[in-house]
Amino acid sequence: MSSATFSATTAGPHLPLYTTRARSHDQNPMFDPLKKSASFLGSSTKLSFNSTTTTKLTRANSVARSPIVAVSEVKEKKSKPISNLLITKEEGLDLYEDMILGRAFEDMCAQMYYRGKMFGFVHLYNGQEAVSTGFIRLLKKEDSVVSTYRDHVHSLSKGVPARAVMSELFGKTTGCCRGQGGSMHMFSKEHNVLGGFAFIGEGIPVATGAAFSSKYRREVLGKADCDHVTCAFFGDGTANNGQFFECLNMAALWKLPIVFVVENNLWAIGMSHLRATSDPEIWKKGPAFGMPGVHVDGMDVLKVREVAKEAIDRARRGEGPTLVECETYRFRGHSLADPDELRDPAEKAHYAARDPISALKKYMFENNLASEAELKAIEKKIDEVVEDAVEFADESPHPDRSQLLENVFADPRGFGIGPDGRYRCEDPKFTQGTAHV
Amino acid sequence: MASILQRIGAATSLSSSNSFDTKKFNLSSPRSVIGRKVSNLDVRSNGANKMNGGMNCQIGGRADHFVTNAVATKPEAPAASTASKPGHELLLFEALREGLEEEMERDARVCIMGEDVGHYGGSYKVSKGLAPKYGDLRVLDTPIAENAFTGMGIGAAMMGLRPIIEGMNMGFLLLAFNQISNNCGMLHYTSGGQFKIPVVIRGPGGVGRQLGAEHSQRLESYFQSIPGIQMVACSTPYNAKGLMKAAIRSDNPVILFEHVLLYNLKETIPDEEYVLNLEEAEMVRPGEHVTILTYSRMRYHVMQAAKTLVNKGYDPEVIDIRSLKPFDLHTIGNSVKKTHRVLIVEECMRTGGIGASLTAAINENFQDYLDAPIVCLSSQDVPTPYAGTLEEWTVVQPPQIVAAVEQLCR
């Protein structure tokens, strides 16, 4: 169907492969990694390049002046008889709305945090919307999503109501996790969002387990049409973690229906990806484990979507996992507590110019998929949704003391038997939350 | 340990202090059969299953321990079975397997994952024969990646399966601590109750026969602080099967501690189905003078010491606490109220071990009933030495137990 078929041995689709060296596709010498000037690139020791990579670099530089051009390149390679666009108007509006929701929501989070409504560690997704929207809008409700602490937008894309997420962030009892999880632990059973994890890497095995359960349902429980897919999102820092590799192995070994999505935004708090990783091209780690590794421009929602479609379909067909490295960038600091002093303003400016929302907008206008008014209407609608979410969260009650001990155990008999012979959970102090466990 | 405890392929050398009378040992430990639990569908005696709507607490049924007329102080007496059928004799690892198999038969969502659980049948043969019967997906041989496959089990549990995760040796689960602590214990809470984690994490642990420090670990103390998990330790074929089944059926994550040296214990267990209560302790030997609380392998050291004590005129009450977290404060409390003296005998380390927690719990709840400070005998806080003599001195031996009781009852 699509030209982007993956084989386990090749490096990836026949899209212009931007190596991580060519993070910017313009001529800005700041980002020429062969130059040792920019200290933010970390270690000034030579990175392992060979001449072929350099050639690719120049080729890439000359070809891609803007993401839109590359998209057209993709479409030229495809044999779509009917239209030569990648998306329909409906799809375009859906993508746009989802990205606007992600952006507006996160901006509101920042406001609310500085106004003292939200606490702790809050990690915002601004700039990375194309990845969440590109992948998750292709998923069904029964498919699962696993994320890290930067999980607000993944949850929203999957369908968790903005009200539930905002309430959770305010720590109110109407939050999706009753206020017990917080920013880094978004869960939704209804929408199959399996978290929300504070330690990077610890969500990947959980995602692998969800994929395993899908295969189990099909092969052991006899639900032959069960083709649920799991998408695991995590960053460049996680790609150096043992659990990542252990799961790549198991997923490929058992051909689990999972897509490993690396949101490579080049920075793990203040640690540059290049300073932390021996071979920074993460997509290459896929073939080492027997699965395709793909690199895609994560600032372009349409490109992400194309790659995502193939990876998800592959998983659904039972062909196993895919590792997708999305080159993306976060416009804000690591968290709202991060002063973000290490990143070069020029780097930030470069990526700001590649804002995925502006890019999609431009695409839609140029291809007559939407009018200014329609997009404005969406923006207005989203503003209202976000305002409403804040209002709802504000008005929601804080958790009662009685909630304290309620969800420790699925079976509250786990609190044991008290001196009086009755199960401790029957003690009224448990329903009041004042008992000592 | 008794000479019948032959580890598979290894010869056992007996040290005199550890010898058991083989004959006695082959018979069912009287307590465990006589104080046996009937099916969990029966209504319990203490009214402990009175439901209070508040917590939505569904009590399956408390077992009735105190069948006092069946007290047999002479271990040689044949175990009076209250079953209509005579039961069948098997070894502890076979009892575990029976429990596993029955639960897998009953519920197709129950699956096993771990290293060498499938084709190899498990390092202690607990899952032998299950892979050929149920297939490679239900009895999954994993690569050596404890943290990842434990997490995988947790993810599968969140999606509705009921995995049993085996640590080939309990010590290996240290590699899975991230998943056990963060995801196993916490996920139900942080998700606001949306996802449950009905996993069973099990494996052989404890001090064996010169296995070296890293294969001789007691992780009870490391895991006990994790909120949201339950811990049980089995010690007889009877309670091994019953606890295995209970753990699998529980919606909570349960860590089932087995002991390397107990896998070949033989006992006759009932033919009909039974499930034990995860939260209850087991009365091994009722008595009047002193309460001895123990679990797992130390139960046998205690029972051996008990023989000596009985000959010396003492009447110890021996309770196998079984539930390491939470403690069964009812059984324990009733015993303390009766004897007023407590001795804890455990294999765990002294620092921060189960005994330490138990001491605190008893002091907090039953201080008024104690005539003497609680004595806790634990293993030495040393990495278990390889040398046999040193290893012997690391764990608590029967003469120490006898001496402690004599001291306590002065």
Side-chain angles (χ1 to χ4, degrees):
Chain A
M1 192 197 84
S2 109
S3 71
T5 44
F6 307 156
S7 82
T9 49
T10 62
H14 305 290
L15 296 169
L17 261 183
Y18 304 118
T19 69
T20 50
R21 292 307 132 266
R23 290 285 301 191
S24 73
H25 311 295
D26 59 18
Q27 315 297 335
N28 191 330
M30 250 335 218
F31 301 97
D32 182 349
L34 298 175
K35 276 212 178 156
K36 296 158 195 185
S37 54
S39 59
F40 73 83
L41 282 174
S43 153
S44 53
T45 57
K46 293 191 297 296
L47 301 159
S48 49
F49 285 152
N50 47 31
S51 53
T52 50
T53 327
T54 327
T55 328
K56 260 196 216 164
L57 213 101
T58 28
R59 181 188 172 282
N61 279 349
S62 62
V63 162
R65 263 162 243 105
S66 87
I68 305 298
V69 173
V71 162
S72 320
E73 271 204 359
V74 172
K75 88 173 191 287
E76 272 154 29
K77 288 183 160 68
K78 299 162 67 63
S79 47
K80 258 204 168 131
I82 299 161
S83 105
N84 56 0
L85 290 178
L86 285 168
I87 44 168
T88 63
K89 175 183 178 126
E90 215 170 73
E91 289 168 342
L93 292 177
D94 178 68
L95 298 178
Y96 190 77
E97 183 170 329
D98 194 55
M99 290 205 286
I100 288 286
L101 174 62
R103 181 67 60 88
F105 189 93
E106 298 291 71
D107 281 340
M108 183 59 80
C109 283
Q111 266 193 61
M112 291 298 115
Y113 188 83
Y114 294 126
R115 280 200 212 158
K117 301 277 182 82
M118 210 177 276
F119 311 92
F121 291 131
V122 179
H123 309 82
L124 299 180
Y125 201 74
N126 299 49
Q128 299 183 196
E129 292 87 359
V131 181
S132 178
T133 300
F135 269 92
I136 301 181
R137 296 314 287 168
L138 288 171
L139 295 176
K140 302 189 292 202
K141 195 171 190 189
E142 299 82 23
D143 295 325
S144 302
V145 162
V146 173
S147 179
T148 57
Y149 43 69
R150 207 177 296 283
D151 55 353
H152 308 168
V153 177
H154 294 134
S155 310
L156 293 169
S157 293
K158 193 63 171 59
V160 181
R163 281 183 162 195
V165 182
M166 192 60 84
S167 271
E168 184 61 32
L169 293 168
F170 281 32
K172 301 297 182 79
T173 191
T174 48
C176 53
C177 301
R178 307 180 80 199
Q180 289 165 195
S183 168
M184 299 184 282
H185 304 283
M186 292 290 167
F187 289 85
S188 167
K189 190 164 175 77
E190 188 191 339
H191 299 279
N192 286 304
V193 177
L194 270 53
F197 292 91
F199 287 18
I200 55 154
E202 73 180 357
I204 306 178
V206 172
T208 309
F212 175 82
S213 77
S214 172
K215 183 179 167 96
Y216 191 96
R217 285 202 150 71
R218 195 171 53 245
E219 294 181 19
V220 175
L221 298 180
K223 299 192 168 56
D225 55 352
C226 179
D227 60 356
H228 304 160
V229 166
T230 305
C231 282
F233 295 88
F234 49 92
D236 43 282
T238 310
N240 289 328
N241 187 275
Q243 291 186 81
F244 168 59
F245 298 115
E246 290 176 9
C247 290
L248 285 183
N249 179 44
M250 294 198 293
L253 182 64
W254 298 315
K255 286 194 157 43
L256 299 182
I258 183 172
V259 184
F260 296 100
V261 186
V262 185
E263 295 171 322
N264 184 353
N265 59 20
L266 258 197
W267 293 88
I269 308 187
M271 189 61 165
S272 153
H273 175 58
L274 301 172
R275 291 182 70 217
T277 317
S278 57
D279 185 345
E281 296 180 90
I282 303 173
W283 59 266
K284 277 179 169 176
K285 292 169 180 167
F289 286 91
M291 73 179 80
V294 187
H295 181 287
V296 68
D297 176 2
M299 302 306 276
D300 181 334
V301 67
L302 299 176
K303 281 201 217 146
V304 172
R305 196 176 142 91
E306 280 306 294
V307 167
K309 218 182 270 186
E310 177 55 25
I312 292 169
D313 283 347
R314 226 182 85 80
R316 266 199 227 293
R317 288 192 299 266
E319 289 169 25
T322 313
L323 175 65
V324 181
E325 178 186 356
C326 302
E327 178 193 319
T328 182
Y329 201 76
R330 51 169 164 81
F331 293 158
R332 290 181 179 267
H334 163 72
S335 74
L336 289 174
D338 173 19
D340 195 15
E341 288 160 346
L342 286 178
R343 300 193 300 174
D344 192 311
E347 185 188 72
K348 295 190 213 177
H350 168 74
Y351 281 98
R354 287 167 61 186
D355 186 327
I357 293 177
S358 326
L360 181 64
K361 200 174 197 174
K362 184 161 184 228
Y363 181 85
M364 301 233 282
F365 286 161
E366 284 178 355
N367 293 282
N368 292 319
L369 286 172
S371 67
E372 181 90 38
E374 284 172 318
L375 297 188
K376 277 265 178 297
I378 289 178
E379 287 160 30
K380 183 163 188 302
K381 170 179 160 195
I382 291 300
D383 274 340
E384 283 165 15
V385 165
V386 175
E387 289 284 347
D388 167 78
V390 172
E391 225 177 272
F392 175 78
D394 249 338
E395 289 164 11
S396 293
H398 287 281
D400 227 21
R401 181 138 194 190
S402 57
Q403 200 182 307
L404 181 65
L405 302 172
E406 269 175 20
N407 300 122
V408 178
F409 288 107
D411 179 350
R413 280 180 293 172
F415 285 118
I417 299 168
D420 60 359
R422 296 195 315 159
Y423 273 94
R424 298 188 70 204
C425 57
E426 294 173 335
D427 176 353
K429 291 214 204 84
F430 271 77
T431 40
Q432 289 157 21
T434 51
H436 233 291
V437 299
Chain B
M1 277 312 217
S3 55
I4 64 156
L5 286 183
Q6 288 153 14
R7 292 189 49 242
I8 295 168
T12 354
S13 61
L14 275 180
S15 55
S16 55
S17 59
N18 277 350
S19 57
F20 266 89
D21 185 342
T22 319
K23 175 174 56 135
K24 288 187 192 99
F25 219 72
N26 273 335
L27 293 171
S28 337
S29 157
R31 240 15 84 222
S32 59
V33 172
I34 283 149
R36 64 188 293 271
K37 330 299 168 240
V38 290
S39 136
N40 65 338
L41 298 172
D42 287 355
V43 176
R44 293 302 93 229
S45 56
N46 314 30
N49 57 344
K50 275 243 155 212
M51 267 256 279
N52 179 339
M55 292 298 295
N56 216 21
C57 198
Q58 286 144 33
I59 316 289
R62 271 193 76 190
D64 185 352
H65 295 283
F66 308 108
V67 184
T68 49
N69 61 347
V71 165
T73 46
K74 289 180 281 208
E76 288 87 352
S81 171
T82 53
S84 48
K85 296 186 205 148
H88 56 286
E89 198 182 48
L90 43 50
L91 304 179
L92 195 145
F93 77 89
E94 291 168 336
L96 287 167
R97 192 199 312 145
E98 237 181 54
L100 263 177
E101 199 168 343
E102 281 176 21
E103 291 306 298
M104 288 182 81
E105 198 61 45
R106 177 179 174 267
D107 186 347
R109 297 168 303 165
V110 177
C111 55
I112 308 175
M113 48 184 79
E115 295 156 12
D116 272 329
V117 295
H119 294 189
Y120 195 74
S123 52
Y124 289 90
K125 301 291 170 246
V126 172
S127 51
K128 185 168 183 193
L130 297 180
K133 186 173 176 188
Y134 293 109
D136 280 346
L137 210 54
R138 273 191 91 179
V139 187
L140 186 74
D141 278 324
T142 61
I144 305 174
E146 277 79 5
N147 208 11
F149 71 69
T150 302
M152 192 175 89
I154 292 167
M158 289 167 74
M159 296 305 286
L161 301 188
R162 304 188 78 93
I164 297 147
I165 301 163
E166 172 173 310
M168 188 186 258
N169 183 286
M170 268 291 190
F172 301 167
L173 292 178
L174 287 173
L175 289 146
F177 212 111
N178 173 199
Q179 292 292 340
I180 294 174
S181 164
N182 283 9
N183 289 345
C184 215
M186 297 190 193
L187 254 172
H188 185 69
Y189 196 81
T190 51
S191 68
Q194 291 182 85
F195 291 100
K196 57 182 194 201
I197 324 284
V199 296
V200 177
I201 297 175
R202 51 158 293 270
V207 177
R209 287 249 176 274
Q210 297 189 253
L211 299 178
E214 290 178 11
H215 281 83
S216 313
Q217 301 197 62
R218 287 79 74 206
L219 298 193
E220 313 77 273
S221 57
Y222 301 173
F223 291 138
Q224 70 172 318
S225 304
I226 300 172
I229 54 149
Q230 282 185 250
M231 304 199 306
V232 288
C234 63
S235 50
T236 67
Y238 179 78
N239 65 31
K241 178 178 174 184
L243 289 175
M244 171 70 90
K245 288 170 71 89
I248 294 172
R249 293 192 194 187
S250 171
D251 276 347
N252 296 334
V254 179
I255 305 184
L256 171 57
F257 290 90
E258 302 157 12
H259 197 287
V260 280
L261 291 181
L262 299 185
Y263 280 121
N264 285 333
L265 283 181
K266 199 184 286 192
E267 188 179 357
T268 302
I269 65 170
D271 285 330
E272 59 280 4
E273 194 185 28
Y274 66 94
V275 181
L276 293 180
N277 217 314
L278 286 176
E279 298 86 26
E280 281 184 10
E282 186 178 315
M283 178 65 70
V284 184
R285 181 193 189 284
E288 296 289 325
H289 291 163
V290 61
T291 299
I292 306 182
L293 302 171
T294 182
Y295 65 92
S296 193
R297 182 199 171 199
M298 286 298 115
R299 168 187 173 138
Y300 296 95
H301 282 201
V302 166
M303 289 311 287
Q304 186 173 1
K307 280 205 327 276
T308 312
L309 287 167
V310 163
N311 289 340
K312 292 191 177 196
Y314 293 95
D315 188 22
E317 178 153 291
V318 180
I319 295 176
D320 182 339
I321 61 172
R322 260 178 19 194
S323 176
L324 307 180
K325 180 183 157 114
F327 295 132
D328 178 358
L329 291 176
H330 186 234
T331 309
I332 293 170
N334 283 354
S335 181
V336 175
K337 289 176 189 173
K338 184 166 60 161
T339 67
H340 312 296
R341 288 177 169 78
V342 178
L343 170 66
I344 300 170
V345 180
E346 57 164 3
E347 199 175 295
C348 209
M349 284 79 75
R350 176 154 216 84
T351 305
I354 300 292
S357 295
L358 195 48
T359 304
I362 297 173
N363 275 328
E364 260 171 34
N365 286 288
F366 308 113
Q367 166 113 91
D368 289 339
Y369 296 96
L370 290 170
D371 281 349
I374 300 172
V375 176
C376 181
L377 297 177
S378 332
S379 295
Q380 300 279 2
D381 275 357
V382 301
T384 312
Y386 163 73
T389 44
L390 292 177
E391 186 184 69
E392 203 180 298
W393 294 321
T394 313
V395 299
V396 179
Q397 301 294 347
Q400 291 167 271
I401 303 172
V402 172
V405 170
E406 289 179 327
Q407 176 85 340
L408 203 48
C409 292
R410 250 174 335 126

